[in-house]
Amino acid sequence: DAVLSDFRMPGLNGMDLLQECAVACPDTPVIMLTGCGSRALEQDALKYGAYAFLHKPIDCDVIYSVVSRSILCSRMLQRSRPSAFTPPEIHLRELVNHRERLSARLKAIAQRLEDAWGTEDPS
């Protein structure tokens, strides 16, 4: 679900790993750890696709939180994209239904505001 890796490794560095992950598993979040990183290195790692760049020593709760958020974020992004196997008309129907639900919610909110203000035009 996620890749958690040190930045410096024998035979491979974090940037190389980020490039490999971008090709092999582009939807998998990569969290880099380092004990000797700089701000420039952190910015480069984030620019090249790292979800997070953590400096050692790292609290276990921080690692847990970052990994959990990265997996959740990845899953949400995957669900929001139409599947290559979803026919366009089904995806369009889902979008229209979503728009209709949002419109109905906005109308209900506008009505509640009108009722609260006692006017027909809340502006």
Side-chain angles (χ1 to χ4, degrees), residues 10-112:
L12 184 72
N13 69 34
M15 292 301 178
D16 295 334
L17 178 67
L18 285 170
Q19 291 173 354
E20 293 291 327
C21 288
V23 172
C25 50
D27 293 331
T28 303
V30 180
I31 297 129
M32 302 302 303
L33 311 173
T34 189
C36 54
S38 66
R39 185 75 180 144
L41 183 63
E42 179 179 354
Q43 289 174 342
D44 284 346
L46 295 172
K47 183 171 100 176
Y48 286 103
Y51 177 83
F53 193 88
L54 305 175
H55 297 271
K56 296 176 188 178
I58 305 164
D59 183 79
C60 290
D61 291 334
V62 171
I63 291 176
Y64 178 81
S65 175
V66 170
V67 170
S68 298
R69 283 183 295 155
S70 73
I71 293 170
L72 179 62
C73 183
S74 175
R75 288 182 181 165
M76 288 173 40
L77 287 172
Q78 289 172 8
R79 287 184 189 145
S80 69
R81 284 188 230 129
S83 168
F85 302 109
T86 304
E89 56 275 356
I90 292 175
H91 183 62
L92 178 61
R93 185 174 55 227
E94 290 172 354
L95 289 174
V96 169
N97 288 338
H98 185 65
R99 184 185 67 197
E100 289 171 357
R101 285 192 306 271
L102 288 176
S103 293
R105 287 178 65 193
L106 287 173
K107 286 179 185 175
I109 291 169
Q111 183 62 49
R112 287 175 60 194

